[in-house]
Structures are given as structure tokens and as C-alpha cells.
Amino acid sequence: QVQLEESGGGLVQAGGSLRLSCAASGRTWSRYTTGWFRRAPGKEREFVAAISWSGNSPDYADSVKGRFTISRDNAKNTVFLQMNSLKPKDTAVYYCAAARQVRAVLSSQYDDWGQGTQVTVSS
């Protein structure tokens, strides 16, 4: 089992940037794919981005391509989500999660979840 804790959320104006962090614990975390999901008010949870243990070929939702960048530092057991050019529609609770599969873009593929961090983008 992997324990995950998100941080870095907050309130930002449209066009601004935030960097989310996901700190992980667990002996084999570095072998997991780590993903970011979000849930906006009144909507279902949706995939945002994911990165495999090697850091190669990350996946992104079409809605964030070119604006968000996922990266990981296995030595620090941390995954980051750099969010630029934020829009009001990016407002949501953001969750990080860990999966044993190399390519994972569905929430059902993930085994462990953090508690989430709120991101609010004002217009």
C-alpha cells in the first residue's frame, strides 16, 4: 500500500500558475504509475495526467495538454503537477493516486488515493 498526500492548492486568478505536489510513502512507490485526477463541483472525477515510474511518455487529458506538466522525483518520493494558464474551469479538488500498471488513465486502475487539495481559479 502507498500513502499519498497532496499539497500546493489554493486560490489563483485566471492565467496564473500553481504547482501541486504529491508526497508518497511506501517501499515500492517508485515502481508505481502516479496520476492526478480532479473533481469539480457537481461533476464526476476526471483524469488529468499520469506518469510512469520511469517518467517516460506521460499522459494528459486533452483539456490540459500544453498547460499542465507532470513530473516526478523518485529520490524525493514526490510527483509534481505544474499548472500554467489556469482557467476557471480548472477549479476542482485535485487528487493524486498510485497504480501498479505502467499506463493508467482510468480511475479504476488506481489502488491508492490521497485526500485531495482544492484549486480555485477566479475569473
Side-chain angles (χ1 to χ4, degrees):
Q1 187 177 3
V2 175
Q3 290 76 47
L4 304 166
E5 183 174 3
E6 305 92 339
S7 62
L11 174 64
V12 64
Q13 289 187 333
S17 298
L18 282 174
R19 188 174 81 154
L20 304 183
S21 298
C22 174
S25 61
R27 291 185 301 172
T28 60
W29 173 80
S30 62
R31 302 177 188 174
Y32 282 56
T33 290
T34 302
W36 286 95
F37 290 77
R38 65 188 182 187
R39 187 192 299 270
K43 296 187 177 181
E44 295 187 354
R45 183 168 54 192
E46 65 173 354
F47 171 77
V48 176
I51 188 167
S52 67
W53 67 270
S54 67
N56 295 329
S57 302
D59 291 300
Y60 295 95
D62 288 342
S63 59
V64 306
K65 280 181 181 177
R67 299 188 298 123
F68 291 11
T69 302
I70 190 170
S71 61
R72 68 189 296 157
D73 185 338
N74 287 340
K76 296 182 178 180
N77 285 0
T78 304
V79 168
F80 304 98
L81 185 68
Q82 178 66 45
M83 305 186 296
N84 298 329
S85 301
L86 283 161
K87 305 175 182 180
K89 65 179 181 179
D90 294 318
T91 295
V93 178
Y94 283 71
Y95 301 88
C96 68
R100 291 169 176 79
Q101 301 176 50
V102 175
R103 301 298 294 269
V105 299
L106 301 175
S107 59
S108 58
Q109 294 176 281
Y110 286 80
D111 305 293
D112 301 293
W113 293 82
Q115 294 299 308
T117 185
Q118 176 70 47
V119 171
T120 303
V121 184
S122 62
S123 57

